[in-house]
Amino acid sequence: MKQDENEAWQKVIDEIKVNIPETAHSWLNNLEPALPLYDMPSNGIFLMKSNQGFGIQVLTQKYLAEIEEALERVTSLKRSVRIVLDENIKPQKKKQPKQSQQFSLVQEQIDNLKQMHSFCGLNLKYTFENFVNGENSNFAFNVAKMVAHAPGQKYNPLYIHGNVGLGKTHLMQAIGHEILKNFPSLKVKYAKAEELTNQITESAIVMSERNSKMKKLRDQYRNIDVLLLDDIQFAEGKQRTEEEIFNIFDVLFHAGKQIVFASDRPPSSLTCTPDRLKSRYEWGINIEIQVPDLKTRIQIIKNHAKRSEFEISDEVAEFLAKVYDKNIRELEGAYNKISAYASIQGVEADIELAKKILNINENAKKITVEDIIEKTAKFFGVKKEDLLSSAKAKEIANARKIAMFLSREITQLSLPEIGSAFGKNHTTVLYNCDKIKENLQTDKALEDKINELTNFIKN
């Protein structure tokens, strides 16, 4: 690949790494596109190749959705991905850090790095130093720093909530990094509620091994000093998971260990969660992160650009910050698309390019996933709360699938972000979207109905 394409491809790989466990990162090192990045056909399959057969198997079976989303965020290429074996690929040499960077890494951070990774989940870019603090997050930021400097002693548990893409995960992981830096002997674990649910399900599959697997899982969560449990809303209504969270909480809390929860909703809105667990969420302090103001959003995108080593003008930064005013991940994803295109094509990243690449019509209303949910419920004559529930009645389930499909078609949200808005995981969203796509091939009535609903949403 050419130099500019190398940079764009590295951004794709970095994006993938944010959303998959670090244990799988090594399989990404020799992954590369089978054709030049922007020479792929405009529809059909995006072909990748690797020289690691087992790695291909793991990436294909477990992380294909994350790879497809990262590709779309960086390059605007929205298509299916396939990975094939190519034993002629030479293993990539690891990049050596610049000399100035080597000196800036103090020995304490180097010593802690292995410990951070061994407990998995902590992304090195999510630190307090990289968090752009504004009025929307100032209280949460200061409380998080207090927790990190005195874990288990104050504000326990800490419950951070707010809409998708506002920095909850960043702040939560920053607590983990700071604790590891200040207290190297403490054991920190970051996990998502969905991950815990999957582990519980897997532990219960084989009856003969059930007790030993479940014991090992419980030990993994109970023999730690700091638990950072993200996306708590995904556990709502899952009785077995919520029971385990309750028991883990009691063990850790009464042992003086620090617990941090994050969710897109406050505990009072988790209506399907048992009262005894909901009361545990509310024992310490609940803090909301709100939407950042324009000044903060501009600073966030400029900092992101600086870290990515492709800086943009103040005018473009302000333009993006005004367009993407409710979701920081969307804002950073928009920058990634523009910078990748500008790097490869060797053009200036100006406002006109941004409008073209991001398909922005300034006169059009910016539609959110909340708009889609509300109007879909109205269109089909179902209650909004039923649409967001697990109700399996045919008319409700069908409306939910269509709402998920249109959320992916109309908004620029990723599958996990759409899933979060519906209280589902990203695999459920992907399955429902694919099902609607499949039905559209043969069902003209469905196509007409979706077109009618789309016009209703946009007007």
Side-chain angles (χ1 to χ4, degrees), residues 235-246 273-274 277:
E236 187 181 21
K238 297 179 176 67
Q239 184 179 353
R240 189 72 182 272
T241 303
E242 291 188 316
E243 181 182 334
E244 287 302 328
I245 292 174
F246 178 86
T273 295
L277 177 57

Side-chain angles (χ1 to χ4, degrees), residues 83-137:
I83 308 173
V84 297
L85 182 65
D86 184 347
E87 296 179 348
N88 295 321
I89 297 176
K90 295 180 180 179
Q92 289 186 355
K93 294 181 179 179
K94 294 183 179 179
K95 292 182 180 178
Q96 294 297 321
K98 295 177 183 177
Q99 193 171 11
S100 59
Q101 292 175 319
Q102 290 176 323
F103 285 117
S104 69
L105 290 173
V106 297
Q107 189 60 45
E108 184 180 24
Q109 291 172 318
I110 295 171
D111 291 341
N112 288 339
L113 200 56
K114 288 183 180 179
Q115 187 177 11
M116 289 180 192
H117 287 213
S118 68
F119 289 101
C120 74
L122 288 181
N123 188 310
L124 289 172
K125 77 175 185 179
Y126 291 148
T127 64
F128 284 125
E129 290 76 17
N130 290 338
F131 188 88
V132 179
N133 190 24
E135 289 185 12
N136 66 302
S137 58

Side-chain angles (χ1 to χ4, degrees), residues 4 7 10 13 19 33 65 73 78 96 132 161 165 167 202-203 209 236 242 271 306 310 351 366 374 377 435-436 459:
D4 287 340
E7 292 175 6
Q10 189 56 49
I13 296 299
N19 293 304
R73 281 196 298 271
K78 188 173 183 177
Q96 294 297 321
V132 179
H161 65 94
E202 185 182 342
S203 298
E209 300 178 5
E236 187 181 21
E242 291 188 316
T271 53
K306 189 175 181 180
F310 186 95
I351 291 177
K366 189 170 184 332
E374 189 171 327
K435 197 68 180 172
I436 294 295
N459 297 321

Side-chain angles (χ1 to χ4, degrees), residues 14-15 52 63 162 241 256 353 376 418 451 458:
D14 291 343
E15 280 282 310
Q52 298 174 314
Y63 306 116
T241 303
L353 178 69
T376 302
I418 294 171
N451 287 336
K458 291 184 175 180

Side-chain angles (χ1 to χ4, degrees), residues 164 233-234 264-265 369-370 372-373 376 384 387-390 399-408 415-425 428-429 432:
V164 173
Q233 72 276 1
F234 282 121
D264 64 0
R265 282 170 272 166
V369 68
E370 288 76 18
I372 294 169
I373 290 169
T376 302
K384 179 181 174 181
L387 197 69
L388 296 174
S389 72
S390 298
R400 187 185 299 122
K401 288 177 186 176
I402 291 174
M404 289 180 180
F405 171 77
L406 289 178
S407 294
R408 193 177 188 199
L415 289 174
E417 289 166 339
I418 294 171
S420 180
F422 283 85
K424 311 293 180 189
N425 60 46
T428 300
V429 176
N432 286 335

